[in-house]
Amino acid sequence: MKMLYFVSRVLVLVALLISCNVSAQQGKKSGKLNVLLIYADDYNTKSGYNGHPIVQTPNLDKLAARSVNFKNAYCQYPLCSPSRTSLLSGKRPATTGIRDNNTPPRTHLQSTVFLPQLFKQNGYYTAQIGKIFHSQRFVKDGIPQGDFNIDTASWSFQYNELVDVKDPEVIRLAHDPKTSPARSANQEWAILNVADEQTGDGLVATKALAILEQRVKSNTPFFIATGFRRPHAPYDVPKKYFDLYKNSSIKVPTSPANDLDDIPPIALTKIDPLTDPETIDKIKGYYASISFMDAQVGKLLQKLDEYKLWDNTIVIFLGDHGYHNGEHRGLWHKQTQFEEATHGNLLLYTPQAVKGKEAKGFIEYVDVYPTIAELAGLKAPSDLEGKSFVPLLNAPEKKWKQAVFSEVVHEGVLGKSVRTEQYRYTEWGTDKVELYDLKKDPNEFTNLAGKSAYSTIQQQLKQTLEKGWKTVKLISANTR
């Protein structure tokens, strides 16, 4: 009897494996490429695959080895909702009208076909799991706050993980991020004594795995968007991820004592005057959150391996914008026009592209929509404001855009910035200007605006900013 039971279990397992493999093969025969979009919240460029000396991202490193790593990808607005709305609509903030986290994405875009909506209209099963459009991070009295993620025109299925977070410790920290006994009043980190699966992002990974399995078995093309909230503050993740980092290995960002003297005050935001030990603890929490997020991504990549989906699936991973970790005498978070906040993280895998290469041509997040649509063979809307960078996927050595653009509002003043290969030029209203030579001064310590030696380049960049993105030419004929 024991032998018969054992044989029957083996036969069931074999049957399941054959079924999954057949479904995957049938998916390949459908001719449609699946899409797995993975968003990380507030994730800058610190990773193993970008050469960071201590940040551990083993799973993203594996994805990078399969992908093209876009080293010069820039967001259009360094804040969650404006950036995500821009990328998902294929339109710039001046068009979307979204310049804060409190205005729903469709407020000014009622007739816009968002990226997942395009796929849904073309027969794809579209799933939103976690934070894709901006949403409030926390629940109140068990009820999710904010409904930006809810967009029935875009999604076949939606999942808000905050409803299912049950662990009292996780809920307490989420409700009271500044004054919880688990952390000091001026910090944004805490060590969780819970399993990954008891956190919000752990629930997102679990649900995404279930949806992937379901789609494979149903043999329908999918666009699955999975949004993780880490490494966004508060940096609350399980202990094992904090244990990856030693305080002695973490360096406090340094800058000249007079760094802020030539920066217009309107350009600055959220300066935290922390002590060095406090800064190290805070950075450690951020790094731990990166590694935690990486572990959740790894679960998705393993599922792609298991179901042999790499031959018919586009995978795109990105952070919604950059992030400060104490640069410029204590800047934290985002919403500046410095490199740390506007420079993004973007990996793109597609079966036909080269693998494990770095593309150094300048691209913008607003270019993602037309790129993914082209790769999937879908006709994109004619009013998109980005440019497909598909040619870079098989020729990553090429240069691309002459300039990229971003903006942010501080105290009612619009800051507009243009970034070229060598310079960044930013205007705040009509009378405050910044100019940095990023080849000589990559940390943007010295504002060159108004200096006679740079008057010509300043005037040229001013004109580029005024003329805007529509006049920027591609320089793809040249190579590095």
Side-chain angles (χ1 to χ4, degrees):
M1 292 296 293
K2 290 183 178 179
M3 178 60 70
L4 287 174
Y5 175 79
F6 175 76
V7 171
S8 66
R9 298 299 295 173
V10 170
L11 289 174
V12 168
L13 178 59
V14 170
L16 286 173
L17 291 173
I18 291 174
S19 173
C20 292
N21 186 58
V22 168
S23 295
Q25 294 301 322
Q26 288 174 341
K28 295 173 188 176
K29 292 176 182 178
S30 71
K32 289 186 175 182
L33 287 174
N34 302 310
V35 178
L36 176 60
L37 169 65
I38 307 173
Y39 247 130
D41 206 355
D42 280 15
Y43 183 32
N44 56 30
T45 59
K46 292 174 180 175
S47 62
Y49 61 86
N50 280 325
H52 195 278
I54 68 169
V55 173
Q56 298 182 41
T57 53
N59 297 292
L60 287 171
D61 295 352
K62 291 177 182 177
L63 178 60
R66 290 181 179 265
S67 308
V68 177
N69 177 9
F70 289 88
K71 298 284 286 185
N72 286 306
Y74 286 80
C75 73
Q76 276 48 78
Y77 199 112
L79 183 65
C80 297
S81 189
S83 177
R84 290 164 183 261
T85 301
S86 177
L87 185 147
L88 294 166
S89 68
K91 298 176 181 179
R92 296 169 189 269
T95 300
T96 69
I98 306 301
R99 292 188 169 106
D100 59 41
N101 280 343
N102 301 313
T103 308
R106 284 200 184 271
T107 301
H108 312 292
L109 301 172
Q110 293 297 324
S111 61
T112 290
V113 176
F114 283 98
L115 177 60
Q117 184 179 354
L118 177 69
F119 280 81
K120 186 178 180 183
Q121 291 175 347
N122 282 274
Y124 279 72
Y125 177 91
T126 58
Q128 165 259 312
I129 305 169
K131 182 177 177 179
I132 303 303
F133 288 103
H134 177 68
S135 64
Q136 300 297 331
R137 292 183 296 169
F138 308 136
V139 295
K140 183 177 181 181
D141 299 326
I143 301 173
Q145 302 299 298
D147 60 357
F148 292 179
N149 256 331
I150 299 174
D151 190 71
T152 55
S154 292
W155 306 114
S156 309
F157 171 83
Q158 297 187 251
Y159 175 70
N160 186 334
E161 79 285 2
L162 299 181
V163 177
D164 290 338
V165 175
K166 305 300 184 186
D167 187 273
E169 182 179 9
V170 176
I171 294 172
R172 184 183 74 250
L173 289 168
H175 275 277
D176 199 7
K178 288 292 186 183
T179 59
S180 166
R183 66 165 72 85
S184 60
N186 66 341
Q187 293 295 304
E188 297 178 288
W189 60 270
I191 297 172
L192 298 180
N193 295 308
V194 301
D196 288 12
E197 293 73 20
Q198 293 172 279
T199 68
D201 281 350
L203 290 168
V204 166
T206 299
K207 179 61 70 172
L209 295 178
I211 295 297
L212 270 170
E213 181 174 356
Q214 179 191 96
R215 288 304 96 201
V216 168
K217 292 180 178 179
S218 68
N219 190 32
T220 53
F222 61 77
F223 180 106
I224 296 177
T226 305
F228 297 112
R229 296 177 190 267
R230 300 285 82 86
H232 192 296
Y235 321 123
D236 300 338
V237 297
K239 180 178 183 297
K240 61 184 176 180
Y241 299 103
F242 281 86
D243 291 344
L244 294 174
Y245 300 96
K246 295 180 179 179
N247 286 31
S248 59
S249 300
I250 297 173
K251 295 182 179 180
V252 175
T254 59
S255 58
N258 64 348
D259 181 25
L260 303 183
D261 292 356
D262 59 1
I263 299 175
I266 194 68
L268 303 171
T269 183
K270 195 168 179 59
I271 290 184
D272 261 343
L274 304 177
T275 65
D276 281 0
E278 288 174 331
T279 298
I280 288 171
D281 278 341
K282 194 168 182 176
I283 292 174
K284 181 177 181 177
Y286 184 74
Y287 290 177
S289 297
I290 291 173
S291 293
F292 165 74
M293 175 272 297
D294 174 84
Q296 311 318 305
V297 172
K299 298 172 186 178
L300 303 183
L301 303 183
Q302 184 176 358
K303 187 64 70 172
L304 296 182
D305 288 336
E306 181 181 341
Y307 289 124
K308 304 184 187 309
L309 290 171
W310 292 103
D311 289 345
N312 67 328
T313 303
I314 299 164
V315 181
I316 182 167
F317 169 84
L318 70 157
D320 52 1
H321 42 67
Y323 200 76
H324 283 286
N325 290 137
E327 300 84 10
H328 293 290
R329 314 296 294 177
L331 275 180
W332 291 92
H333 295 207
K334 54 261 185 174
Q335 294 196 77
T336 76
Q337 291 294 273
F338 292 116
E339 279 290 296
E340 290 88 359
T342 59
H343 190 186
N345 203 324
L346 199 158
L347 298 175
L348 180 55
Y349 166 85
T350 187
Q352 293 77 28
V354 299
K355 307 295 187 289
K357 299 291 185 180
E358 294 182 348
K360 296 183 180 179
F362 282 74
I363 65 167
E364 299 173 281
Y365 275 16
V366 76
D367 302 328
V368 169
Y369 187 153
T371 301
I372 300 301
E374 181 178 346
L375 288 172
L378 305 184
K379 184 179 180 180
S382 59
D383 60 349
L384 299 186
E385 296 176 351
K387 175 71 175 179
S388 170
F389 51 81
V390 165
L392 293 180
L393 291 170
N394 279 304
E397 74 282 356
K398 289 180 179 292
K399 292 187 178 182
W400 199 238
K401 288 187 173 183
Q402 292 177 317
V404 294
F405 299 83
S406 60
E407 63 178 65
V408 72
V409 173
H410 284 178
E411 301 174 13
V413 177
L414 179 62
K416 299 186 296 182
S417 190
V418 58
R419 207 289 196 193
T420 65
E421 189 171 12
Q422 183 167 356
Y423 297 99
R424 174 178 293 280
Y425 173 79
T426 304
E427 290 182 351
W428 298 92
T430 59
D431 59 344
K432 301 292 188 298
V433 178
E434 295 174 87
L435 173 63
Y436 301 99
D437 185 336
L438 294 166
K439 285 193 174 180
K440 297 179 180 178
D441 178 27
N443 296 308
E444 298 170 299
F445 288 150
T446 304
N447 184 3
L448 302 171
K451 297 186 181 298
S452 58
Y454 290 86
S455 59
T456 299
I457 188 63
Q458 181 172 332
Q459 185 59 31
Q460 290 173 347
L461 291 168
K462 179 179 178 63
Q463 292 175 358
T464 300
L465 186 61
E466 289 174 349
K467 291 178 180 178
W469 63 271
K470 290 184 179 180
T471 63
V472 169
K473 298 178 180 179
L474 298 182
I475 47 178
S476 56
N478 300 321
T479 59
R480 290 184 183 274

